[in-house]
Amino acid sequence: MSVFPEYQDVAHRYTKGDIPFYLSIHTIDTIHLLHHHDFAELALVVEGHGREVLNGIPHELKPGTVSFLLPHHLHELRNTPGGKMKVYCCMFDMKMLYNSEIDAELVRLLLGSGQSYSSFIDLTETQARRLREIFDDIIGENQARLPGRSSFIRSKLIEALLLYVRSQRLSAAEHFAATNLHIQKILQYIHSNYTEHFSLEDISAHLELSVPYICRLFKEQLGQSFLDYLHRLRVQSACHLLASSRMPIADIVADVG
């Protein structure tokens, strides 16, 4: 029997006209079957134990485990039989980070999750406590509804993401070249549309950038061509589906474009 990952529409969880962001504390006492969604997700376990399969890679969940999922990454959660897990679940639209050159380095590091480094890590007690404090600050801000709330939440989100990235002991200089806003927008387009059929010309028209300029950016900033990057992304997505589901190969091929 084929098992298709469930698509979850999470956009309804935030108020229309509000920032595309959602944070809640979940108590998990059942299996959350294989699923994916449009939003990125940063999750922190604070109580209980369980198991997660993230893009086909299983790992244990315990207090202090943090996972980061890019849009449409596949995951499944299982708590320890008879037990419960308490998890902070922070979901957001990546567009919250895409329009600032200042955040370009952070965005590039986040796009490497599951490729250049693991999508999960066990934080130290100090790191886990700090991340929980950041999430509690956001929850308090949501309840207070004070002026500047959106800016406060965005700043706290960036703080939480930086804590996660730095906990991976990454060096931006070691893993990523310098970037600019144009390559950031190109990567945003690719990661949002890679399951569809599109070309360099489509990106060029959408972003009003010339095809030769886009090709040069890929070579200079990423050290590879546009097609190499796109093919690698699609192959990795196919591998995740093969490892995480029992979908027929023909369906996987169609699903990843």
Side-chain angles (χ1 to χ4, degrees):
M1 179 180 177
S2 300
V3 176
F4 290 81
E6 177 189 356
Y7 168 73
Q8 294 185 350
D9 182 5
V10 299
H12 67 279
R13 294 181 181 177
Y14 65 91
T15 305
K16 186 176 181 181
D18 205 349
I19 57 174
F21 176 93
Y22 173 79
L23 174 62
S24 65
I25 303 174
H26 293 322
T27 298
I28 299 174
D29 55 8
T30 58
I31 298 173
H32 283 214
L33 295 177
L34 194 66
H35 63 281
H36 64 107
H37 33 68
D38 294 325
F39 277 25
E41 178 178 346
L42 183 68
L44 171 68
V45 180
V46 292
E47 291 180 12
H49 293 77
R51 186 171 181 268
E52 179 178 41
V53 180
L54 209 170
N55 292 326
I57 301 175
H59 68 101
E60 298 303 313
L61 295 172
K62 61 183 181 180
T65 301
V66 62
S67 304
F68 176 71
L69 292 77
L70 287 166
H72 300 297
H73 276 191
L74 303 169
H75 67 133
E76 177 180 288
L77 293 172
R78 295 175 182 266
N79 63 295
T80 300
K84 295 182 179 181
M85 283 193 299
K86 182 178 178 182
V87 181
Y88 281 76
C89 180
C90 173
M91 308 185 77
F92 62 96
D93 192 326
M94 288 289 288
K95 293 177 182 177
M96 289 181 65
L97 309 176
Y98 276 137
N99 294 320
S100 168
E101 290 191 46
I102 295 174
D103 299 324
E105 179 188 15
L106 173 60
V107 171
R108 286 283 300 282
L109 288 168
L110 292 172
L111 290 177
S113 180
Q115 299 181 39
S116 301
Y117 59 91
S118 173
S119 300
F120 53 87
I121 192 170
D122 293 327
L123 300 179
T124 66
E125 184 177 339
T126 300
Q127 289 171 330
R129 182 170 60 251
R130 180 61 194 135
L131 184 55
R132 185 170 182 173
E133 289 172 352
I134 294 170
F135 285 157
D136 285 338
D137 285 346
I138 293 174
I139 291 173
E141 185 71 13
N142 258 330
Q143 295 171 344
R145 313 292 293 189
L146 298 172
R149 168 179 160 274
S150 296
S151 296
F152 181 94
I153 290 175
R154 184 180 181 278
S155 68
K156 285 293 178 179
L157 171 62
I158 290 173
E159 185 179 355
L161 293 171
L162 281 171
L163 190 157
Y164 163 73
V165 166
R166 290 177 175 181
S167 71
Q168 295 277 4
R169 302 184 185 278
L170 295 178
S171 165
E174 292 174 359
H175 292 274
F176 298 93
T179 189
N180 61 35
L181 191 57
H182 285 163
I183 194 69
Q184 190 176 324
K185 289 182 176 180
I186 293 168
L187 292 178
Q188 173 192 357
Y189 184 93
I190 292 173
H191 279 261
S192 298
N193 297 282
Y194 74 91
T195 60
E196 308 295 331
H197 291 288
F198 65 90
S199 65
L200 265 176
E201 287 72 19
D202 295 321
I203 299 178
S204 172
H206 180 75
L207 298 178
E208 298 182 345
L209 301 171
S210 73
V211 169
Y213 177 67
I214 294 174
C215 291
R216 189 173 78 249
L217 278 181
F218 265 89
K219 286 295 184 181
E220 292 176 352
Q221 302 290 328
L222 302 177
Q224 58 187 300
S225 70
F226 157 73
L227 282 179
D228 286 341
Y229 188 92
L230 178 60
H231 288 164
R232 187 182 72 166
L233 186 61
R234 286 173 169 167
V235 167
Q236 287 174 336
S237 180
C239 290
H240 295 160
L241 284 169
L242 283 168
S244 304
S245 73
R246 293 194 293 274
M247 289 174 62
I249 291 177
D251 290 325
I252 290 177
V253 169
D255 196 65
V256 302

